[in-house]
Amino acid sequence: MPPKPTRSNDLQSLTDIDKLVHEPARLMILAYLYVVESADFIFLIRQTDLTWGNLSAHISKLEAAGYVEVTKEFVGKKPHTMLSLTAEGRAAFRTYRQNMKRVLDDLPD
Amino acid sequence: MPPKPTRSNDLQSLTDIDKLVHEPARLMILAYLYVVESADFIFLIRQTDLTWGNLSAHISKLEAAGYVEVTKEFVGKKPHTMLSLTAEGRAAFRTYRQNMKRVLDDLPD
DNA sequence: GTAAACTACTTTGTGATACAAAGTACATTA
DNA sequence: TAATGTACTTTGTATCACAAAGTAGTTTAC
């Protein structure tokens, strides 16, 4: 589960930020999954500009955290990997987004 | 200088994000300096909940990048470290904030 | 028909980084 | 004058992101 914020002011909430979501590569992946609901590996490769190894590793990490569900199937004779957000992943992304927006919005200029 | 974004869509701009700013501890530090214009080490320790070593290391990194200026002086007989954002640091923070807000805003829900 | 190239990934190695613990150099208090 | 406190910095370690290499199969070229 995502870390629980226990801080009073906005900036200190960064202390409790969910690093799993915060990492730019994974933030990209999660944001895509957040809007499209389900995507395959190839789609994410194209959208994110990550390498195969890199994307694979990040997916594994998100899967281990229970943030994404990975479904492997065969399309014809080729393997095909489908990704989708779990309820937990969706919640974690929402929380991250809220916190981050609050931090960035509550500043002058 | 902060990395230049060269991407077309919003989410891909995360590929070029300035990691020096992105790190939560430093983001906190920069945000404080962004609003107060100048602060001492002790103030930041209290506000950020970082350890001495941790804050020290992050400050060094920000200084090396030219994002903050560090001024050491003696107050009475005690050492005193003052921090302030450089123009470059201010610009980097602004760029980061803009990019990040755009990424987080341009999503449904 | 088999060798070379391609697809769709995963695993491994390496260098960078964040963090805590220990260290330094003094000043103050008991 | 010994112990404690202040204001840091340096060092060690464990984690992590990334790229390069590896794997398992499929398609194409000759």
Side-chain angles (χ1 to χ4, degrees), chain B residues 19-59:
Chain B
K19 290 253 200 163
L20 218 87
V21 179
H22 190 60
E23 164 62 32
R26 286 191 298 263
L27 189 52
M28 246 190 294
I29 295 168
L30 291 173
Y32 275 112
L33 293 179
Y34 189 79
V35 295
V36 303
E37 199 64 41
S38 145
D40 61 12
F41 198 95
I42 300 296
F43 170 81
L44 288 176
I45 280 288
R46 275 200 274 269
Q47 296 298 321
T48 61
D49 272 17
L50 293 169
T51 61
W52 290 87
N54 216 337
L55 179 57
S56 178
H58 284 304
I59 296 279

Side-chain angles (χ1 to χ4, degrees), chain A residues 26-44:
Chain A
R26 286 190 298 261
L27 189 51
M28 246 190 296
I29 296 168
L30 292 173
Y32 275 112
L33 294 179
Y34 189 79
V35 294
V36 303
E37 199 64 41
S38 146
D40 62 12
F41 198 95
I42 299 296
F43 171 81
L44 287 175

Side-chain angles (χ1 to χ4, degrees), chain B:
Chain B
M1 71 223 87
K4 286 218 183 71
T6 51
R7 308 286 161 170
S8 48
N9 85 48
D10 286 349
L11 287 173
Q12 276 190 346
S13 74
L14 286 168
T15 304
D16 312 299
I17 211 139
D18 189 347
K19 290 253 200 163
L20 218 87
V21 179
H22 190 60
E23 164 62 32
R26 286 191 298 263
L27 189 52
M28 246 190 294
I29 295 168
L30 291 173
Y32 275 112
L33 293 179
Y34 189 79
V35 295
V36 303
E37 199 64 41
S38 145
D40 61 12
F41 198 95
I42 300 296
F43 170 81
L44 288 176
I45 280 288
R46 275 200 274 269
Q47 296 298 321
T48 61
D49 272 17
L50 293 169
T51 61
W52 290 87
N54 216 337
L55 179 57
S56 178
H58 284 304
I59 296 279
S60 294
K61 208 156 258 189
L62 290 169
E63 188 186 16
Y67 285 1
V68 307
E69 197 190 353
V70 180
T71 314
K72 286 173 187 300
E73 55 184 355
F74 276 86
V75 174
K77 295 176 178 173
K78 291 185 189 169
H80 189 232
T81 304
M82 287 294 293
L83 293 316
S84 65
L85 271 189
T86 62
E88 204 185 342
R90 185 161 287 270
F93 182 75
R94 273 219 185 82
T95 301
Y96 172 86
R97 195 183 167 205
Q98 258 175 234
N99 278 325
M100 209 57 183
K101 280 181 76 162
R102 203 153 38 72
V103 166
L104 296 175
D105 285 341
D106 294 357
L107 288 172
D109 281 30

Side-chain angles (χ1 to χ4, degrees), chain A residues 3 9 11 26 29 44 53 62 68 71 75 78 83 87:
Chain A
N9 85 50
L11 288 173
R26 286 190 298 261
I29 296 168
L44 287 175
L62 291 169
V68 306
T71 313
V75 175
K78 291 186 188 170
L83 293 317

